[in-house]
Amino acid sequence: MTMNQNAAPTLRVSNLRVTYYTDAGRVTAVNEVSFALAPGERLGLVGESGCGKSTLALALMRMIKPPGRIESGSAIVRTDKGEVDLFALDEEDMRRARLSVISYIPQGAMNALNPVLRVGQQMIDALQAHVPEMSYQAMRERAEQALESVELKRSVFNLYPHELSGGMKQRVCIAIGILLSPRVIIADEPTSALDVVVQRQVMETICKVQAQIGASLILIGHDMGLMAQVMHRVAVMYAGRLVEVSPVRALFTRPLHPYTQALIQSLPRLDNRGVFRGLPGLAPSLLRLPSGCAFHPRCAQAMAVCAQVVPKPITTADGRFVACHLHDSVDSDLTPAPVLQEQSHANAPAA
Amino acid sequence: MPTPPLLELRQVSKVYARGLLAREQVVALNKVSLTIDDQRPSIIAVAGESGSGKTTLGSLVLGFIQPTTGAVLYRGQDVARLNGAAYLRFRREVQAVFQDPFAVFNPFYRVDHLLETPIAKFKLARSKREARRMMEDALNAVGLRPEEILGRFPHQLSGGQRQRITIARALLLKPRLLVADEPVSMVDASLRATILESLRRMRDEHGISILYITHDLTTAYHVSDDILVLYAGNVVEAGDAEQVIRQPKHPYTQLLIDSIPWPEVDRRWGSVELVQRDGAAASGGCRFFARCPAAMPRCAQSAPALYRVSEAQAAACYLHEGQPVALDEVLRASDRAVMA
């Protein structure tokens, strides 16, 4: 693992808030989300459909389209040339930042490639948009190297997407994502359409190239198995808010938030065959969020306060983050989080 | 005369031919035999990657396509030759739940429509009130509250709710056999357990046998009694779910199980070496030859038979050549209980 816990974070997201203006009212899809990502770190982002995890990813890419809007917050990436706040860039600078500072590997790569252009041309297009001064030969060399680094043959450069299998197409998308060695890679369920063996290979490839270029990775998904296998930390999202962020081992063995606990218990493991414990109830509609903690109607441990007050996020002594009244200063280990750096690593110095 | 099995596949093959004079042939399913007993309801998982032929198998059982060779028998009768009352009975007793809980609903109708149609079609109810009661019972049986479901439009319900309505629809018809083709793959992980629970209750409380088609061995392990693993149209391993998952005998099953991302930090994936050999897929040889870490020269020459590696497990691999050749009885699902 090349993760460096002690270095200043690569990405610091603070108080991010994204809303959609719909006919039925204003919907806050991402609500006061803050977290930090260490250099080389792999952070999993899990939650039920509609919890806002893809919106969070799109917001970081500044690809939220109306009626959606980034209301507030900052997303500061540390690059070689200093720090940039993605939300403060103008359109042209943001265009340049995509792919070179932060890149996005979409869900269903099958549909992300242009079917009438050769793979190589699509990679050249991406390079041309960012480094127009580069010669064709140099661009081609860079593209073929990227293909090689995701374990594809150089000859894939000359193929059309329909000539590739699903796993190969996903690898091409990864190759495009790392062309310009971004600091942060966001992958949105990159393996959900693949068979298990291919899934394993593609995940191994993503981790390998991510480590090679020293980028941090945010993997969005709902496959807790993948999270357990490849992530360093996992962030759990519920109804637009982060409810827990913990190192992967702690999350799976000692989940703090009742939602995480229920989620972990509902998983089919090898040694609990035939034991089913689904999550009770349904994910709430973002239009009609329950008062207080949005999870309280489904929570087995809900107390009176949960229906009234949104729990304040806290960081535990061992660097875990949780937003739940059960952990409200009950435990002396828990201290209120600093305003900006709620989930940055315990040792990370304030930048 | 003994009662015929509920479902019997006898050496079923399906070949898709294309091109002029059918020069290009794709064997989607190759001589698959399988028996589901009438006496003891069970859940049989058919597992495999995309292109393994698992959905072809489901379509054959449902009578949507006809086998190229071999026969699919439902209670002793060839499904391809059913007509009249027997066909109607087959259609009622063999139900299906498909992968996509979004595509099966017509967005212009309330979800009630999906439940009312089979009741009307098979004249299950004599009055509106009785029909309503049947719908409510079926929804209750899959853990839904009728008052939250009836009268709604599909877009007002979650994927998990919709998938459970399609199971309730199947349940209405009191089927004997359910073909469930990837019923949870498009449903949130948190809701999967609930749907799998519904399937198990269909078996335990309603005596329905289920053919559970999936690419996901974790859910197959959790829900099924037996597992049939397909690779490129061939059965490579079959038997008791516990044995197949915990002690897989075919190199392909071993690779699949090794690649499962278990949600456990101490159970790591990926210790099996990945192989890609050239000169593969030679006709006549084992279809897994090209990717097999244990391949021997003879594997390229001829395909192995299904060898019986234990009382309730069989694998089609020369590594187990010393064992007796398994006849169809290993794939006879409910005999397992007797054998074990």
Side-chain angles (χ1 to χ4, degrees), chain A residues 259-274:
Chain A
Y259 175 62
T260 322
Q261 290 164 2
L263 200 62
I264 301 286
Q265 279 182 351
S266 77
L267 298 172
R269 297 192 304 272
L270 189 58
D271 50 13
N272 68 348
R273 180 167 182 228

Side-chain angles (χ1 to χ4, degrees), chain A residues 32-331:
Chain A
E32 296 302 314
V33 164
S34 303
F35 63 93
L37 206 55
E41 186 181 26
R42 299 197 288 269
L43 176 75
L45 182 59
V46 299
E48 288 164 281
S49 353
C51 74
K53 55 193 193 297
S54 290
T55 298
L56 172 55
L58 290 175
L60 293 179
M61 295 300 295
R62 291 256 310 263
M63 296 198 299
I64 299 280
K65 295 207 178 74
R69 208 168 96 86
I70 297 171
E71 297 288 346
S72 60
S74 63
I76 294 165
V77 184
R78 175 181 289 265
T79 70
D80 305 336
K81 302 182 194 102
E83 296 193 334
V84 282
D85 181 354
L86 296 175
F87 298 157
L89 297 176
D90 64 28
E91 274 306 320
E92 176 57 20
D93 285 341
M94 187 60 214
R95 185 188 69 74
R96 288 175 190 282
R98 291 187 194 111
L99 222 56
S100 64
V101 175
I102 185 166
S103 74
Y104 182 68
I105 301 169
Q107 185 174 17
M110 312 38 220
N111 312 319
L113 296 170
N114 186 334
V116 298
L117 286 185
R118 292 177 199 273
V119 165
Q121 188 57 50
Q122 303 189 43
M123 301 181 83
I124 298 280
D125 283 352
L127 285 168
Q128 245 161 3
H130 286 89
V131 272
E133 66 280 4
M134 212 174 186
S135 75
Y136 179 84
Q137 268 319 314
M139 284 192 286
R140 178 165 184 146
E141 179 57 29
R142 171 84 70 96
E144 290 188 357
Q145 272 174 6
L147 289 171
E148 261 182 347
S149 69
V150 296
E151 273 122 43
L152 289 171
K153 293 202 175 88
R154 280 177 172 246
S155 56
V156 169
F157 187 88
N158 287 315
L159 297 179
Y160 286 99
H162 73 263
E163 296 175 278
L164 307 174
S165 70
M168 290 167 83
K169 274 185 252 189
Q170 190 63 63
R171 283 169 197 276
V172 169
C173 286
I174 299 166
I176 294 175
I178 57 156
L179 263 180
L180 293 161
S181 303
R183 303 325 303 147
V184 180
I185 303 170
I186 302 173
D188 194 351
E189 305 221 20
T191 60
S192 61
L194 304 176
D195 291 318
V196 279
V197 181
V198 184
Q199 164 173 284
R200 180 183 124 199
Q201 292 170 305
V202 169
M203 272 324 298
E204 282 167 357
T205 302
I206 290 179
C207 295
K208 194 195 80 181
V209 294
Q210 168 255 337
Q212 252 169 21
I213 64 175
S216 303
L217 174 72
I218 300 177
L219 182 86
I220 298 171
H222 59 231
D223 186 340
M224 293 296 282
L226 271 188
M227 300 297 160
Q229 295 299 329
V230 294
M231 293 297 123
H232 297 131
R233 272 195 313 160
V234 178
V236 183
M237 207 165 172
Y238 189 82
R241 290 177 189 268
L242 289 182
V243 295
E244 177 166 357
V245 186
S246 289
V248 67
R249 176 169 296 275
L251 187 100
F252 276 88
T253 51
R254 288 177 293 115
L256 293 178
H257 197 281
Y259 175 62
T260 322
Q261 290 164 2
L263 200 62
I264 301 286
Q265 279 182 351
S266 77
L267 298 172
R269 297 192 304 272
L270 189 58
D271 50 13
N272 68 348
R273 180 167 182 228
V275 180
F276 295 101
R277 218 170 335 181
L279 249 68
L282 290 169
S285 156
L286 291 173
L287 269 171
R288 289 178 304 276
L289 278 186
S291 59
C293 169
F295 185 61
H296 86 262
R298 297 170 81 183
C299 182
Q301 303 167 61
M303 305 171 289
V305 63
C306 301
Q308 287 147 22
V309 184
V310 177
K312 280 215 169 48
I314 47 166
T315 305
T316 66
D318 49 356
R320 300 174 68 178
F321 164 93
V322 62
C324 174
H325 288 301
L326 286 174
H327 301 277
D328 274 352
S329 63
V330 178
D331 191 328

